[in-house]
Amino acid sequence: MKNTRFSLAAFALLGSAALQPAHAAPGVIDAPQVATCPAPVPEATRCYTGEDGAGAFYWIAIPRDWNRVLVMHAHGGPETGPPRPQRSEDDLKRWAITVKAGNAWAGSTYRRGGYGVTMAAEDTERLRQIFVRHFGQPRRTLLHGQSYGAGVAAKAAELYAPVHGAKSPYDGLLLTSGVLGGGNAAYDFRLDLRVVYQYACGNHPRPDEVQYPLWTGLPMDSTLTRADLAARVKDCTGVGTPVAQRTPEQIARLKTILSVVKIQERSLLGHLTWATWLFQDLVQKRLDGRNPFGNVGVVYQGSADDAALNAGVARYAADPQAKGALAVDSQPTGRTALPTLGLHAIDDPTAFVELESAYRSIRDAAGTGELLVQSFSSEREHSYLSDSEYPALFAALLDWIDKGEKPTPESLAQRCATLKARYDTDGKNGCHIQPGWQAPALDSRVPPRNP
């Protein structure tokens, strides 16, 4: 993708041919280079690094007793800085369990920092082609998307679907802690956070600073740092100091923000950071300064005085073209023939578990709901769940592909229990899948927008 700015014309074309690859993969400028595998990747694993010819870096790991299954990993984020080789190495270390289970692993940094789901899907496919070119065709290839990467993997599953009788390069899809349903649905609440935070605190921006629409994230010439933002949050809400040291005013302001936006204290600063620098990248660099997020007509609830809150928060109308461009880039159509498994922590502090219901609705509307099995765990984490759960999901997905044995949340929990002794070596993880649990509707967590 030579032009990394969202193009409405290009997205309209992509939307009319959503099952076709968006672009041909550029040529590769060098072969994978042998590298020393980082711990905790198992010993005797072969590791390689390289650059994909389009600006993305990658790591590849192939275990000694490779089972001929390749797991293409789409990482979370996105990062707002330029691509870093260290990012892919860090992903490999975090997901070493994939290699311990006998699978090869490959992960791209994506070709540039910032938002771009379709771009990242293309980068993932380019890396898969590099792997096949240098290491041969795997028996099976699975797409594993984590967090933001789950949206990337869902998009890749649709972009590289079978065309004119050709087989898809992917055999199955695993989505964990997924930011699903498209960027519009996933990030609306961060506009809510910006306007509610500003109503309560009034320091982002401060009254003596340049005032700007909060959906722009931050002016491009701003010198605000992440440490500065943390200091402002601490000053307003007391976050970062012991509860006993917070003033009554700080406690009241924090309660308003958390209750109305329905987030946890531990994730407040993280969400506000994304709603600052990611919004800056998305809106000003990718959408030509147009606003994809709106809150006109949204009714906020949960404060001590909701009438005053709703009268006092800033209101913005979304630009239809910007909203459409973001949707075409990031929102899945649901049109995929790949067996799909999902795992999401019920108390995920970063990606609302209710996003799973949005993805379920998309798959059901597309007629592919029967190919989606979602599971939920009683964990309170986002970036990584139990060691035992991932091998169970990989194995269940392969049995579904190879044997036609569609898993259920109950069978996933049972399979995890059988693998616990092998993979839960430190006794700290275990299996936490809750078979009877279902995700509530996203509207129960994020107030609905006007049509």
Side-chain angles (χ1 to χ4, degrees), residues 15-361:
S16 67
L19 300 183
Q20 302 288 338
H23 297 279
V28 180
I29 63 173
D30 60 5
Q33 303 297 306
V34 176
T36 301
C37 296
V41 175
E43 294 183 6
T45 299
R46 292 179 290 152
C47 287
Y48 304 86
T49 62
E51 193 271 329
D52 72 352
F57 303 98
Y58 63 82
W59 272 76
I60 291 170
I62 305 174
R64 178 176 55 188
D65 298 321
W66 182 27
N67 60 11
R68 305 299 300 178
V69 173
L70 168 63
V71 174
M72 295 300 306
H73 181 81
H75 74 68
E79 294 194 337
T80 53
R84 300 178 299 114
Q86 184 65 39
R87 171 62 206 245
S88 189
E89 180 181 0
D90 290 344
D91 289 333
L92 172 58
K93 290 189 288 188
R94 178 180 296 177
W95 301 100
I97 192 68
T98 307
V99 185
K100 291 177 183 178
N103 310 298
W105 183 97
S108 168
T109 62
Y110 311 144
R111 80 190 75 161
R112 65 155 173 77
Y115 197 90
V117 172
T118 297
M119 173 210 67
E122 293 168 350
D123 294 342
T124 301
E125 167 59 12
R126 185 179 306 106
L127 177 54
R128 185 199 65 80
Q129 294 179 20
I130 292 172
F131 185 98
V132 172
R133 184 178 299 116
H134 292 281
F135 304 107
Q137 180 66 48
R139 183 183 73 84
R140 294 294 186 194
T141 301
L142 306 180
L143 261 173
H144 174 205
Q146 160 67 19
S147 186
Y148 165 81
V152 172
K155 175 66 73 171
E158 297 172 2
L159 290 174
Y160 304 103
V163 177
H164 303 307
K167 180 181 180 295
S168 170
Y170 302 101
D171 298 295
L173 185 60
L174 174 61
L175 309 174
T176 58
S177 306
V179 179
L180 294 164
N184 308 75
Y187 294 153
D188 275 337
F189 85 95
R190 285 182 174 148
L191 175 63
D192 297 339
L193 173 60
R194 286 299 305 265
V195 301
V196 173
Y197 178 88
Q198 189 66 0
Y199 172 84
C201 296
N203 67 4
H204 185 36
R206 290 174 174 149
D208 60 349
E209 294 177 321
V210 173
Q211 302 299 296
Y212 57 89
L214 300 178
W215 51 263
T216 63
L218 199 67
M220 292 303 297
D221 60 355
S222 173
T223 59
L224 185 77
T225 67
R226 284 161 172 75
D228 294 335
L229 180 58
R232 296 185 187 199
V233 173
K234 181 178 181 179
D235 180 65
C236 175
T237 67
V239 169
T241 60
V243 174
Q245 296 178 18
R246 299 174 187 175
T247 67
E249 293 77 14
Q250 287 176 324
I251 292 172
R253 288 191 289 261
L254 179 61
K255 182 178 180 181
T256 292
I257 296 166
L258 301 185
S259 298
V260 173
V261 187
K262 296 183 176 65
I263 58 175
Q264 302 173 25
E265 178 181 327
R266 60 180 172 144
S267 60
L268 169 59
L269 182 57
H271 283 309
L272 199 59
T273 298
W274 286 113
T276 301
W277 284 278
L278 181 60
F279 275 21
Q280 180 191 57
D281 171 86
L282 173 60
V283 170
Q284 300 184 62
K285 295 181 181 179
R286 316 301 166 199
L287 290 170
D288 295 313
R290 291 171 301 191
N291 176 25
F293 306 115
N295 68 334
V296 174
V298 171
V299 178
Y300 296 109
Q301 297 178 317
S303 72
D305 188 342
D306 287 343
L309 170 66
N310 281 283
V313 296
R315 299 283 181 176
Y316 303 107
D319 179 285
Q321 289 185 322
K323 187 174 181 179
L326 177 57
V328 174
D329 176 73
S330 63
Q331 184 169 316
T333 66
R335 296 194 293 269
T336 178
L338 297 186
T340 306
L341 290 185
L343 176 65
H344 208 127
I346 295 169
D347 200 19
D348 187 324
T350 302
F352 296 157
V353 71
E354 289 84 357
L355 288 167
E356 297 289 341
S357 69
Y359 187 60
R360 163 61 69 185
S361 296

Side-chain angles (χ1 to χ4, degrees), residues 317-445:
D319 179 285
Q321 289 185 322
K323 187 174 181 179
L326 177 57
V328 174
D329 176 73
S330 63
Q331 184 169 316
T333 66
R335 296 194 293 269
T336 178
L338 297 186
T340 306
L341 290 185
L343 176 65
H344 208 127
I346 295 169
D347 200 19
D348 187 324
T350 302
F352 296 157
V353 71
E354 289 84 357
L355 288 167
E356 297 289 341
S357 69
Y359 187 60
R360 163 61 69 185
S361 296
I362 290 171
R363 292 291 295 262
D364 286 345
T368 63
E370 285 299 310
L371 291 173
L372 173 64
V373 174
Q374 295 173 307
S375 59
F376 303 93
S377 76
S378 57
E379 292 156 283
R380 302 181 66 248
E381 303 299 330
H382 171 72
S383 297
Y384 190 83
L385 302 178
S386 164
D387 277 346
S388 304
E389 290 165 350
Y390 298 106
L393 289 162
F394 286 131
L397 187 54
L398 288 168
D399 279 352
W400 191 1
I401 297 164
D402 292 335
K403 304 176 184 178
E405 298 175 355
K406 181 180 177 179
T408 64
E410 291 80 6
S411 69
L412 290 172
Q414 293 167 4
R415 187 183 287 263
C416 181
T418 65
L419 295 175
K420 179 179 176 181
R422 178 178 176 184
Y423 293 107
D424 184 21
T425 55
D426 61 5
K428 297 179 180 179
N429 291 307
C431 299
H432 308 279
I433 296 174
Q434 304 296 305
W437 200 87
Q438 293 293 322
L442 183 59
D443 283 356
S444 68
R445 184 71 172 265

